[in-house]
Structure formats: C-alpha cells, structure tokens
Amino acid sequence: MDLNEKIKEDLKSSMKAQDKMRTSVLRMMLADIKIAETSGKPRDQIDYAAVVQGYQKKLKKTREEYERLSLPEKTREIDNELAIVEEYLPKQLSDEDMQKIVNEVVDENNFTGKEFGVAMKLIMNKCGGTADGKRVQTILKQKLGC
C-alpha cells in the first residue's frame, strides 16, 4: 500500500471515528496529492512523501507566523496538525546522525564556507528526505564556520 492509499484508508477511519482534526488534515494532504497528480507527471513518478513534506513545510511556516503574532491557541492547533502529518513522513535523522553525515561530506570534499550551497545539496541528497533542511543548514554552518 503506497502513501496515497494509506492516507485514503486513514481518512475513512477518521471520518467513522468523527475525528474532525484528523479528517481535516488528511483531506488537506489528499488535496495536495491531487494537485500533484494533475500536474502532468505520470503517477508512478510522483513522490507522495515529497508532497506531504511540502504540506508540512506550509504548516511550519504558518506556525512560525502564529508564534510571531503571539497566538498560542493557533500555535497549539498547528502543532496538533503537524503531529498528524509527521505520522506519514519517513523517520527523521537524529542530530547526531546528521552531524556524522555533515562531517563525512565536508571532510571528503574539503568544503569551505564559499562552497556552502554545493555542500548543502550533497548532504540533502545523501539524507534522502529524512533530514530537515534548516537543521542541516545549522549544523553545516557550524562545521564550516559561516
């Protein structure tokens, strides 16, 4: 069962359980998946995990905005939505594992601060969607002294 089918099945279950929050979040993820499917790409080339990660990024930006506006109730609501979305994403690497990968890539290629973008791209490719870009960026900046 692929991610799309799993979300659809979980949507049916959440609707039966009358879990409004979960139902709403799953519907939003399915809407983003539908948009990706109608983008012209063949279905077998659509990365559903990347679509869900895109939705997660939108939620994180919204959360940051609510936090900036000092709206704790809305922030908690977004946190609950993020928890649901994260159930459908691959397990994220720990900071220690990310640190190892960053050290490995930088040491192998002798990167300097001027080559930050190239290093970042290699590290993110090596992580394969299991690392948050902002966390990797922070670790890489520390390593390169930027």
Coordinates of all heavy atoms in Angstrom, one line a residue, residues 2 4 12-13 29-30 34 44 46 52 59 63-65 91 94 101 109 118 120 124 130 134 139-140 146:
D2 N 0.7 2.1 -1.0 CA 1.5 3.3 -1.0 C 0.9 4.4 -0.1 O -0.1 4.2 0.5 CB 1.7 3.8 -2.5 CG 0.4 4.4 -3.1 OD1 -0.7 4.3 -2.5 OD2 0.5 4.9 -4.2
N4 N -0.4 7.3 -0.6 CA -1.7 7.8 -1.1 C -2.8 7.0 -0.6 O -3.8 7.4 0.0 CB -1.7 8.0 -2.6 CG -2.9 8.7 -3.1 OD1 -3.6 9.4 -2.4 ND2 -3.2 8.5 -4.4
K12 N -10.9 7.5 5.8 CA -12.2 6.8 6.1 C -12.3 6.4 7.6 O -13.4 6.6 8.1 CB -12.2 5.5 5.2 CG -12.4 5.7 3.8 CD -12.3 4.3 3.0 CE -12.2 4.6 1.5 NZ -12.1 3.3 0.8
S13 N -11.3 5.9 8.2 CA -11.3 5.6 9.6 C -11.6 6.8 10.5 O -12.4 6.8 11.4 CB -10.0 5.0 10.0 OG -9.8 3.8 9.3
M29 N -4.0 17.0 2.9 CA -2.9 16.2 2.3 C -3.3 15.6 1.0 O -2.6 15.6 0.0 CB -2.3 15.1 3.3 CG -1.5 15.7 4.4 SD -0.6 14.5 5.4 CE -1.7 13.3 5.9
L30 N -4.5 15.0 1.0 CA -5.1 14.5 -0.2 C -5.3 15.5 -1.3 O -5.1 15.2 -2.5 CB -6.3 13.7 0.0 CG -6.2 12.3 0.7 CD1 -7.5 11.7 1.1 CD2 -5.4 11.4 -0.2
K34 N -3.7 15.4 -5.0 CA -4.5 15.5 -6.2 C -3.9 16.6 -7.1 O -3.8 16.4 -8.3 CB -5.9 15.9 -5.8 CG -6.8 16.0 -7.0 CD -7.0 14.7 -7.7 CE -8.1 13.8 -7.0 NZ -8.3 12.5 -7.7
D44 N 3.4 7.1 -11.6 CA 4.5 6.4 -11.0 C 5.7 7.2 -10.7 O 6.6 6.8 -10.0 CB 4.8 5.2 -11.9 CG 5.3 5.6 -13.3 OD1 4.8 6.7 -13.7 OD2 6.1 4.8 -13.9
I46 N 5.4 10.3 -9.2 CA 5.0 11.3 -8.2 C 5.6 10.8 -6.9 O 5.3 9.6 -6.5 CB 3.5 11.5 -8.1 CG1 3.0 12.1 -9.4 CG2 3.2 12.4 -6.9 CD1 1.5 12.2 -9.5
V52 N 3.7 15.4 0.8 CA 3.4 15.5 2.2 C 4.4 16.4 3.0 O 4.0 17.2 3.8 CB 3.3 14.1 2.9 CG1 3.0 14.2 4.4 CG2 2.1 13.3 2.3
L59 N 2.7 24.1 6.9 CA 2.2 24.2 8.3 C 3.3 24.8 9.2 O 3.0 25.6 10.1 CB 1.9 22.8 8.8 CG 0.6 22.2 8.3 CD1 0.4 20.8 8.8 CD2 -0.6 23.0 8.7
R63 N 2.9 28.1 11.5 CA 3.2 28.1 12.9 C 4.1 29.2 13.3 O 3.9 29.9 14.3 CB 3.8 26.7 13.3 CG 3.9 26.6 14.8 CD 4.7 25.4 15.2 NE 4.8 25.2 16.6 CZ 5.4 25.9 17.5 NH1 6.1 26.9 17.0 NH2 5.4 25.7 18.8
E64 N 5.1 29.4 12.5 CA 6.1 30.5 12.8 C 5.4 31.8 12.8 O 5.7 32.7 13.7 CB 7.2 30.5 11.8 CG 8.2 29.4 12.0 CD 9.2 29.3 10.8 OE1 9.2 30.2 10.0 OE2 10.0 28.3 10.8
E65 N 4.5 32.0 11.9 CA 3.7 33.3 11.8 C 2.8 33.5 13.0 O 2.8 34.6 13.6 CB 2.9 33.3 10.5 CG 2.4 34.7 10.2 CD 3.4 35.7 9.9 OE1 4.5 35.4 9.5 OE2 3.1 36.9 10.1
K91 N 10.9 8.6 9.0 CA 11.5 8.9 10.3 C 12.7 9.9 10.1 O 13.5 9.6 9.2 CB 12.0 7.7 11.0 CG 12.7 7.9 12.3 CD 11.7 7.8 13.4 CE 12.4 7.9 14.8 NZ 12.1 9.0 15.6
S94 N 18.4 11.8 13.5 CA 18.7 12.4 14.8 C 19.8 13.5 14.5 O 20.5 13.4 13.5 CB 19.2 11.4 15.8 OG 20.5 10.9 15.4
I101 N 26.9 12.7 9.0 CA 26.8 12.9 7.5 C 27.4 14.2 7.1 O 28.2 14.2 6.1 CB 25.3 12.8 7.1 CG1 24.8 11.4 7.3 CG2 25.2 13.2 5.6 CD1 23.3 11.2 7.0
N109 N 35.2 16.1 0.8 CA 35.3 17.1 -0.3 C 36.1 18.3 0.1 O 36.2 19.2 -0.8 CB 33.9 17.5 -0.8 CG 33.1 16.3 -1.3 OD1 33.5 15.7 -2.3 ND2 32.1 15.8 -0.6
V118 N 26.9 24.0 -2.5 CA 27.2 22.7 -3.0 C 27.2 21.6 -1.9 O 26.7 20.5 -2.1 CB 28.6 22.8 -3.7 CG1 29.0 21.4 -4.2 CG2 28.6 23.8 -4.8
M120 N 25.6 21.7 0.9 CA 24.2 21.5 1.3 C 23.5 20.6 0.4 O 22.8 19.7 0.9 CB 23.5 22.9 1.4 CG 22.2 22.9 2.0 SD 22.3 22.7 3.8 CE 20.6 22.7 4.2
M124 N 21.9 17.0 1.6 CA 20.5 16.7 1.4 C 20.2 15.5 0.5 O 19.3 14.7 0.8 CB 19.7 17.9 0.9 CG 19.7 19.1 1.9 SD 19.1 18.7 3.6 CE 17.4 18.4 3.2
T130 N 15.2 12.5 4.8 CA 15.0 12.1 6.2 C 15.6 13.2 7.1 O 15.8 12.9 8.3 CB 15.6 10.7 6.5 OG1 17.0 10.8 6.2 CG2 14.9 9.6 5.7
K134 N 16.6 23.0 7.5 CA 17.0 24.0 8.4 C 18.0 23.5 9.5 O 18.9 24.1 9.8 CB 15.8 24.7 9.1 CG 15.0 25.6 8.2 CD 14.0 26.3 9.0 CE 13.2 27.3 8.1 NZ 12.3 28.1 8.8
I139 N 23.7 22.9 11.3 CA 24.9 22.0 11.6 C 26.0 22.3 10.6 O 27.2 22.4 11.0 CB 24.5 20.5 11.5 CG1 23.6 20.2 12.7 CG2 25.7 19.7 11.6 CD1 22.9 18.9 12.6
L140 N 25.7 22.5 9.3 CA 26.7 22.8 8.3 C 27.4 24.2 8.5 O 28.6 24.3 8.4 CB 26.1 22.7 6.9 CG 27.0 22.9 5.7 CD1 28.2 21.9 5.7 CD2 26.3 22.9 4.4
C146 N 30.5 29.5 9.2 CA 29.9 30.6 8.5 C 29.1 31.5 9.4 O 28.5 31.1 10.3 CB 28.9 30.0 7.4 SG 29.6 29.1 6.1

